[in-house]
Amino acid sequence: MRSHIACWLCAMAALLMIACGGGQERHSEVHDIEGEVWNAPEEFVYSNEDSLSQRDISIVVRYSMDYVADSVTLRVMTISPDSLLFEEPFTLHIPHLADMRPEEQTFVYRRNVTLRNKGDYRFRLTPEEPVEGIAAVGVVISENNPNNE
């Protein structure tokens, strides 16, 4: 009897995790910025195995009190596995800190993206001007869950 209850509890826990998004595939890669000024490209690699699912792509920024700009314009370059290249500007409107603690913000870059080729996608983030106070930047790629919109 106890084994049946344990199996039932495990099954219910698994269903609850999936319902709450725990079963959602998510890839996150964040790089620390060397020095006090971010002025060099940061490149992130995502190995795509699923060429059918839709995903959301976000940019993550961790910053400190040294950040004083109102916004940061990036050049976002995407290189597909078959070497196609797409580059565009993208502006991050980063709020100022109210206290001394470092803050992390996530900005949606693209929604409902289908990465049509299997293989390595490269995402390169480059600030158009040097920026002080940015401690780390990253890219988050997650499965698009239409139930969360």
Side-chain angles (χ1 to χ4, degrees):
M1 180 70 175
R2 284 187 183 186
S3 65
H4 291 296
I5 293 172
C7 288
W8 183 82
L9 285 174
C10 287
M12 292 310 289
L15 287 173
L16 184 60
M17 281 181 56
I18 291 170
C20 293
Q24 186 177 16
E25 180 185 323
R26 181 181 170 106
H27 172 82
S28 178
E29 184 177 348
V30 178
H31 298 175
D32 288 333
I33 301 300
E34 293 187 26
E36 296 180 18
V37 177
W38 179 30
N39 58 4
E42 291 292 328
E43 188 169 295
F44 307 89
V45 179
Y46 174 69
S47 288
N48 185 43
E49 298 299 324
D50 180 356
S51 60
L52 300 175
S53 295
Q54 290 186 336
R55 295 180 178 79
D56 295 335
I57 302 174
S58 299
I59 296 172
V60 178
V61 177
R62 187 170 54 241
Y63 60 104
S64 67
M65 287 296 289
D66 295 331
Y67 173 76
V68 294
D70 289 326
S71 62
V72 176
T73 302
L74 307 175
R75 298 297 304 171
V76 180
M77 180 186 293
T78 304
I79 305 169
S80 67
D82 57 353
S83 299
L84 291 177
L85 184 124
F86 176 74
E87 184 177 28
E88 68 179 334
F90 185 74
T91 302
L92 306 175
H93 296 282
I94 303 173
H96 291 277
L97 293 173
D99 55 22
M100 299 297 287
R101 293 178 294 140
E103 184 74 32
E104 185 172 292
Q105 295 287 327
T106 301
F107 302 89
V108 176
Y109 171 62
R110 288 274 182 252
R111 286 197 188 276
N112 304 320
V113 174
T114 301
L115 301 175
R116 298 184 187 269
N117 296 315
K118 292 184 179 182
D120 289 344
Y121 280 81
R122 298 183 182 286
F123 298 92
R124 186 175 301 153
L125 306 179
T126 307
E128 287 193 346
E129 296 179 10
V131 184
E132 288 187 45
I134 302 293
V137 294
V139 173
V140 176
I141 301 174
S142 56
E143 272 186 12
N144 182 339
N145 187 349
N147 296 329
N148 287 343
E149 294 189 20

